[in-house]
Amino acid sequence: MILTTDEAPFLKETYGDGVPFASVSPSLWGELGLQSPRREAIPHPTTLVVDTDGSILLQEVHVNFKERTSVARILDAIAAAGPATAAPAPLSFAPTGPNWEAAVDFSFTGGSDCLLIDATVKDGFHVYGAKEQTARPLELSIHEAPQLPLVFPDGDRKVLDGLGESWVLAGALQFGWPLPETVPPTVTGTLRYQVCTDRSCSPPKTMDFSVDRPAEACPPLEDQP
């Protein structure tokens, strides 16, 4: 079966009636961990070979769109599985992909004169600094002070195979910004971000927050970025 975001009339004209196909939402690529960080509506080319009992015999994701799984490799995976012994199962399986929901944790705190964000990015994942040009960099806005400049660090330069240069942030992170006296003690806002591995990305995400800041002042903040 071919999964694509192309519309049904184009699919029928291209593949005819001999190949099963389905037109799906681009959000599916992010849910399966196949989304390209450069073009959100387009997945990395992926081949799945599924046995009649629903088990996955072969799963290959190609970061370089010019690469595809060879027919010989597909046939080898089928041959290695041996003859089918079960009736065909409904196609209700989901390919294994990154656990985007558990990839990063954010917590919001602060003091009378600042806002702090602590982030823990799990091993194998990263988010993006302000210098990133292709994926979504971290962005923050405070509803009570929408014009306040909240700048994140540039990130660390990383060259990803087949994807080029990125500016990433990973591990245990803390970001902090001074707040003027005009900002009320309770602040609300929105964090925008995208989580990626070296091969694929989640859909862009947003997180709303509300912070009741204590009366105590914050410790000195390190300069950012």
Side-chain angles (χ1 to χ4, degrees), residues 34-203:
L34 306 177
Q35 189 174 54
S36 168
R38 291 188 180 275
R39 301 182 67 184
E40 296 170 5
I42 298 178
H44 293 312
T46 301
T47 298
L48 290 169
V49 179
V50 185
D51 205 347
T52 54
D53 63 359
S55 60
I56 297 176
L57 305 179
L58 176 66
Q59 177 176 336
E60 285 194 351
V61 181
H62 298 283
V63 175
N64 187 337
F65 74 93
K66 297 179 181 180
E67 298 176 356
R68 295 293 192 277
T69 302
S70 68
V71 174
R73 183 156 171 74
I74 293 172
L75 294 177
D76 287 344
I78 295 172
T85 57
L91 293 178
S92 59
F93 67 91
T96 56
N99 185 350
W100 301 119
E101 298 305 318
V104 58
D105 293 321
F106 293 103
S107 62
F108 301 82
T109 56
S112 62
D113 57 352
C114 81
L115 176 67
L116 298 175
I117 298 180
D118 287 284
T120 302
V121 185
K122 304 302 191 324
D123 290 345
F125 296 91
H126 54 258
V127 293
Y128 290 95
K131 203 168 182 178
E132 177 65 18
Q133 297 294 313
T134 54
R136 178 185 288 279
L138 291 170
E139 298 174 0
L140 182 70
S141 59
I142 294 179
H143 299 160
E144 292 77 15
Q147 305 305 318
L148 190 65
L150 303 174
V151 180
F152 284 93
D154 287 346
D156 296 320
R157 180 177 180 272
K158 186 173 187 179
V159 177
L160 303 176
D161 183 30
L163 298 176
E165 180 183 79
S166 281
W167 295 85
V168 305
L169 297 164
L173 307 164
Q174 185 177 75
F175 313 107
W177 303 270
L179 297 179
E181 294 181 355
T182 54
V183 176
T186 297
V187 296
T188 61
T190 301
L191 175 69
R192 299 171 182 84
Y193 66 100
Q194 188 170 28
V195 187
C196 294
T197 67
D198 287 355
R199 298 179 62 85
S200 60
C201 287
S202 73

